[in-house]
Amino acid sequence: MIKNKIITAGALAALAVTTNAATTSVNFTEGAANQQLIATTIAGLDAQSNWNNTTGQSGTLAALNDSDGNATGASVTWSSGGTWRDGVATADANADVGDAQLAHGYLDDHSGGTPQEVVIGVTGISYTTYSLILYYSTDTDGDEYGAALVNGGSYNTTGTKSRYVNPNWNATNSFTVTGLSGDLNIEVSPRAGATRGSVAGFQIVDTTIPEPSSTALLGLGGLALIMRRKK
């Protein structure tokens, strides 16, 4: 009897397969080849491949893919004062280091004219709940990044602006917002003195509690029937 219980418990654990969480990642670029993340390159704090690359200071990119390469139905729209780059990241970006390519190009709040906030919107997010990881980049060390308004809540990074180092992302140039749902809206304050609003990219990480797959449910039902027959 004890042996049967152990086998049954192991089988139940093996069948308790759940759907995998996914991540949708967006990389803002000037358009240079060494800023573009190819599908197999991994980058970000939530280390994932299949990043979606944008080009230019404003635009729309539809049919975003997730980290498994599947179409999500989500779409991103962005606007900014311009684009720029962190030259310190160039060598690693040329060597196809993912985090360097992510940091190398970014949306800037300024391009010789009046400073402008960086505005990003994502619609069609299928995740019931998700976390946002926002990545900043800069061409100058020192001072701080501008405050970000995320779905109506205000957030700041801590510490000072830092140019690319490998590994790159820490509390000075990235932050995470949890417990989000619905469409995503981000507004980053433009420069004021040495403070900057310059966004390299972001990740939307699915935090929905996964449900058992249909295969697992069928397997569990079959095991329940076997156990009833053995009693």
Side-chain angles (χ1 to χ4, degrees):
M1 181 65 69
I2 293 175
K3 184 177 180 180
N4 286 340
K5 285 185 177 180
I6 293 173
I7 293 172
T8 300
L12 285 168
L15 284 167
V17 178
T18 57
T19 56
N20 293 324
T23 297
T24 302
S25 308
V26 174
N27 172 35
F28 294 115
T29 82
E30 298 175 288
N34 64 355
Q35 298 171 359
Q36 305 280 325
L37 288 157
I38 65 172
T40 55
T41 300
I42 294 173
L45 284 171
D46 183 35
Q48 299 289 352
S49 56
N50 288 296
W51 280 71
N52 300 273
N53 300 292
T54 74
T55 300
Q57 70 183 73
S58 62
T60 298
L61 186 62
L64 299 178
N65 290 329
D66 66 15
S67 50
D68 294 323
N70 300 318
T72 65
S75 174
V76 61
T77 299
W78 70 96
S79 64
S80 65
T83 56
W84 200 241
R85 72 198 72 90
D86 178 5
V88 173
T90 303
D92 277 357
N94 288 340
D96 299 326
V97 177
D99 284 336
Q101 292 174 305
L102 176 58
H104 189 31
Y106 55 83
L107 298 181
D108 204 359
D109 56 17
H110 188 263
S111 184
T114 302
Q116 178 180 329
E117 67 179 358
V118 174
V119 179
I120 302 163
V122 184
T123 58
I125 299 171
S126 61
Y127 312 146
T128 303
T129 61
Y130 60 90
S131 294
L132 166 72
I133 307 174
L134 189 69
Y135 299 99
Y136 286 126
S137 191
T138 183
D139 63 353
T140 308
D141 289 317
D143 210 40
E144 297 180 352
Y145 290 104
L149 194 68
V150 179
N151 287 6
S154 184
Y155 301 88
N156 277 291
T157 54
T158 58
T160 58
K161 294 186 302 182
S162 58
R163 303 183 79 177
Y164 170 80
V165 292
N166 188 15
N168 191 57
W169 309 113
N170 54 47
T172 67
N173 56 11
S174 66
F175 68 91
T176 301
V177 182
T178 61
L180 298 173
S181 61
D183 292 344
L184 174 63
N185 297 285
I186 305 169
E187 300 175 45
V188 180
S189 300
R191 71 182 62 195
T195 300
R196 298 286 294 278
S198 46
V199 180
F202 66 90
Q203 291 183 289
I204 299 172
V205 183
D206 185 7
T207 57
T208 307
I209 297 174
E211 296 181 356
S213 68
S214 57
T215 302
L217 290 174
L218 287 172
L220 290 172
L223 279 173
L225 181 60
I226 291 170
M227 290 172 68
R228 288 185 62 186
R229 287 178 176 176
K230 285 186 175 181
K231 287 182 178 180

